[in-house]
Amino acid sequence: MRANVPTALLAACAGIALYSIMDAVMKGLSLGIGAYAALFWRLVAGAAIMTPLFAFNRPRMPERRVLKIHAIRSVVIAVMAIAFFWGIVRVPLAEAIALTFIAPLIALVLAAIFLKEQIGARSILGSLLGLAGVGIILAGQLGAPHRPDSALGMVAVLTSAVFYAVNLVIARHQAQRAKPIEIAFFQNWIILAIFCVPAPWLLVLPAPGQWWLVLLAASLAIVSLLLLSWAYARAEAQVLLTVEYTAFVWAAIMGWLFFHEPL
């Protein structure tokens, strides 16, 4: 298993990079049609992509305990996602990602409690150093002009970070019991079912020129989820958590390129 750790780290880095690019696509969509509608249509596209892939693998229905894990993680991700994408409409992308970096530290504690992982000093030091580095950058960003509702955006992102930490720990537990394609299939469908509840009141259609962004966001989210699920099946959560800090680099680049957010 140890021989797989470097490969798992590379897969996790690639997954975080793709997810960060997806965040930028979703921010653009959320600015246009709102966070809820952007997420809803991304999930529709994701379910449409994953259903034939899942069927092609001739799957068996998961055991009840595995279905329960799929459902619990999906609920956590639903709350995490709507809070995050609502927040990044109001906060610069790099700053929002920096705020989420409380998640790896929370996840280290949760991994020790629930996964019974022995958390090494290097994992703790790596997380603290990453958090400190991002904190220095964030301190500079806080002096920049913000929207009037940016404080609410920051609260939403911090709330999302707490749920993200729980999600990271469940991801390790889930990846040891289900294959990546199964995880992606059930996650898209269960979250979509949750999001269908307020659809009659909140749902709007994307403009004709936005559908390709919906498909791009769904594709990036799926490939990222597959890579991260594969990685978490092969390395402990404490090993992979520090990879989360690489998201700041991608978020800063995406925010600068597409939203003219100064570095």
Side-chain angles (χ1 to χ4, degrees):
M1 185 64 73
R2 293 293 299 177
N4 286 327
V5 170
T7 307
L9 282 168
L10 288 174
C13 284
I16 293 297
L18 292 176
Y19 209 83
S20 299
I21 297 169
M22 186 274 294
D23 286 342
V25 176
M26 287 294 292
K27 176 166 182 169
L29 279 170
S30 297
L31 285 167
I33 61 175
Y36 167 78
L39 271 166
F40 182 93
W41 293 115
R42 193 199 83 186
L43 290 163
V44 169
I49 292 169
M50 286 311 306
T51 298
L53 288 176
F54 184 64
F56 181 76
N57 282 270
R58 297 180 179 178
R60 295 180 179 177
M61 182 58 68
E63 296 177 10
R64 190 171 182 176
R65 61 187 180 88
V66 178
L67 278 174
K68 185 177 179 181
I69 297 170
H70 291 327
I72 291 171
R73 189 183 179 200
S74 294
V75 171
V76 169
I77 290 174
V79 177
M80 175 195 85
I82 195 65
F84 180 76
F85 291 117
W86 189 89
I88 63 173
V89 169
R90 293 155 178 84
V91 178
L93 199 55
E95 190 172 312
I97 294 295
L99 289 170
T100 67
F101 288 155
I102 63 169
L105 286 173
I106 297 173
L108 277 178
V109 176
L110 295 177
I113 295 172
F114 294 106
L115 300 180
K116 308 303 180 185
E117 292 185 6
Q118 297 296 318
I119 307 301
R122 289 184 179 181
S123 295
I124 297 172
L125 181 61
S127 290
L128 290 173
L129 287 174
L131 187 63
V134 172
I136 292 169
I137 299 169
L138 183 58
Q141 289 277 24
L142 289 175
H146 286 81
R147 290 174 42 140
D149 56 355
S150 61
L152 288 174
M154 290 181 182
V155 171
V157 172
L158 288 170
T159 301
S160 175
V162 174
F163 280 87
Y164 187 53
V166 177
N167 161 64
L168 290 172
V169 175
I170 299 174
R172 167 66 174 168
H173 185 61
Q174 183 185 39
Q176 293 176 309
R177 288 157 179 80
K179 293 181 179 179
I181 288 180
E182 178 187 315
I183 292 171
F185 171 80
F186 280 100
Q187 184 169 302
N188 274 279
W189 275 108
I190 294 172
I191 300 176
L192 179 57
I194 295 169
F195 272 59
C196 279
V197 176
W201 299 277
L202 300 178
L203 190 60
V204 297
L205 283 170
Q210 293 175 322
W211 283 109
W212 74 274
L213 291 173
V214 171
L215 185 59
L216 176 61
S219 301
L220 288 169
I222 286 170
V223 176
S224 173
L225 178 58
L226 293 175
L227 285 168
L228 289 169
S229 296
W230 187 90
Y232 272 90
R234 288 159 177 80
E236 290 186 330
Q238 64 167 315
V239 174
L240 298 177
L241 287 175
T242 50
V243 172
E244 297 289 328
Y245 293 106
T246 62
F248 185 85
V249 178
W250 295 105
I253 293 171
M254 294 298 107
W256 175 65
L257 279 177
F258 298 110
F259 304 105
H260 309 292
E261 296 170 356
L263 297 177

